[in-house]
Amino acid sequence: MPEGDTIHRHARRLGPVLVGRRAELVMPRLVTPAPSPVEVRGVRVHGKHLLVDLDPDEADPVVLHVHLGMPGRWDVTRPAPPGPPRGRDVRIALTTSEARATCRKAPVAELLEPGRETRHRVLGRLGPDLADDVDLDAVVRRLRDRPVRPLHVTLLDQSVAAGLGNVLAVEACHVAGLDPRTPTDLLTDDELRDVYARGRRELVANIDRVRRTTVPGARPGELWVYGRDGRTCRRCGTPLASTALGGNARHVAWCPSCQPPRTR
Ligand SMILES: [Zn+2]
């Protein structure tokens, strides 16, 4: 599933071709046709969600909410091709005089009326976007209000802070030197702030990279521990450990030496 860095990268491609422009909007799956044309006011990201602020001619402003899930993607075509968007997998097409942005296969592509975003069952519960200048003390306070869970499960809780997915959470635990299984009540506030700060740093650093990379100076795509089960730690040579964690049984890997287990 795309993580916050990937969604910010999409937003940085979409913003320059859409914002401030008038666009024809087509959303083939909607029962009621989408308003069109629209003025695109902005492209925003909140965690793993992409939000496009729209101002239709004869209706109240609306927010276009997109979650790409595993299969979704955005394509930008310049110049805009003639005729309607093609393909059964099209969820959204925004066509300006210069370009077309097409979203395909996204499981969530919906229009939200004004004010609905804060009451939305998913968007309304999101913590702050980690790519922003986040108050990490507030993140830790929110975390302490939640039940005690393994650190990795907590890092994925988008209501604490939004943006980290499985890969960035596993990598953040490694660079912070923390075992991803550690119950959060065994960690100090400083340790929690540090692991979120490191996750944030990796998220922001990877917005401009085509392949997510966490190892400084390494080839594109090189990660410290994620997906490296059965291999050895890049820092110390210890064989990496791995397990499934949390309700969704997310696969995590760690170095037992650099990320030693905590006991009560
Ligand atoms: Zn190690």
Side-chain angles (χ1 to χ4, degrees):
M1 181 154 333
E3 308 192 12
D5 49 359
T6 308
I7 307 305
H8 276 279
R9 189 158 64 244
H10 285 303
R12 287 191 183 179
R13 283 170 58 223
L14 295 172
V17 297
L18 294 177
V19 175
R21 291 178 169 76
R22 193 173 177 80
E24 301 292 331
L25 172 61
V26 176
M27 296 177 70
R29 291 282 176 106
L30 291 191
V31 178
T32 309
S36 184
V38 292
E39 287 277 330
V40 181
R41 299 294 184 202
V43 177
R44 298 179 283 131
V45 176
H46 196 166
K48 303 173 193 174
H49 303 261
L50 190 120
L51 302 154
V52 185
D53 293 309
L54 302 175
D55 232 340
D57 271 353
E58 293 175 16
D60 290 329
V62 287
V63 176
L64 177 55
H65 168 219
V66 184
H67 192 288
L68 292 177
M70 282 298 276
R73 68 168 204 264
W74 281 99
D75 298 315
V76 174
T77 316
R78 226 185 315 215
R86 297 206 180 158
R88 289 156 54 104
D89 56 2
V90 172
R91 299 292 178 270
I92 303 161
L94 279 157
T95 309
T96 70
S97 58
E98 293 146 41
R100 174 176 290 162
T102 310
C103 179
R104 298 179 188 275
K105 296 184 181 176
V108 178
E110 59 180 353
L111 288 169
L112 307 177
E113 293 152 21
R116 171 93 192 287
E117 192 177 330
T118 51
R119 303 192 310 270
H120 189 275
R121 68 185 171 79
V122 177
L123 297 173
R125 295 184 63 245
L126 292 178
D129 189 292
L130 259 193
D132 293 339
D133 192 12
V134 173
D135 177 357
L136 292 178
D137 290 326
V139 169
V140 171
R141 281 197 298 277
R142 233 183 344 269
L143 183 159
R144 296 291 191 202
D145 285 340
R146 306 287 192 278
V148 171
R149 292 167 294 178
L151 173 61
H152 181 265
V153 175
T154 301
L155 290 170
L156 294 184
D157 181 348
Q158 303 294 300
S159 77
V160 174
L164 297 183
N166 204 33
V167 180
L168 289 173
V170 165
E171 296 292 295
C173 289
H174 180 76
V175 291
L178 299 174
D179 183 326
R181 301 169 301 171
T182 314
T184 44
D185 63 340
L186 293 187
L187 297 168
T188 65
D189 286 1
D190 281 346
E191 287 174 316
L192 290 167
R193 262 192 304 272
D194 180 58
V195 70
Y196 274 97
R198 289 170 184 271
R200 176 180 192 281
R201 195 169 68 198
E202 297 299 343
L203 191 162
V204 171
N206 277 290
I207 291 174
D208 292 323
R209 295 184 186 140
V210 176
R211 295 190 67 195
R212 187 182 290 125
T213 309
T214 55
V215 183
R219 285 179 300 154
E222 297 279 358
L223 303 173
W224 286 111
V225 288
Y226 182 86
R228 298 190 64 246
D229 316 40
R231 297 166 72 183
T232 55
C233 175
R234 293 182 191 275
R235 295 180 199 268
C236 74
T238 302
L240 298 180
S242 64
T243 191
L245 271 184
N248 295 332
R250 306 306 295 272
H251 195 78
V252 298
W254 72 97
C255 170
S257 298
C258 297
Q259 301 166 263
R262 294 280 172 98
T263 49
R264 290 186 191 277

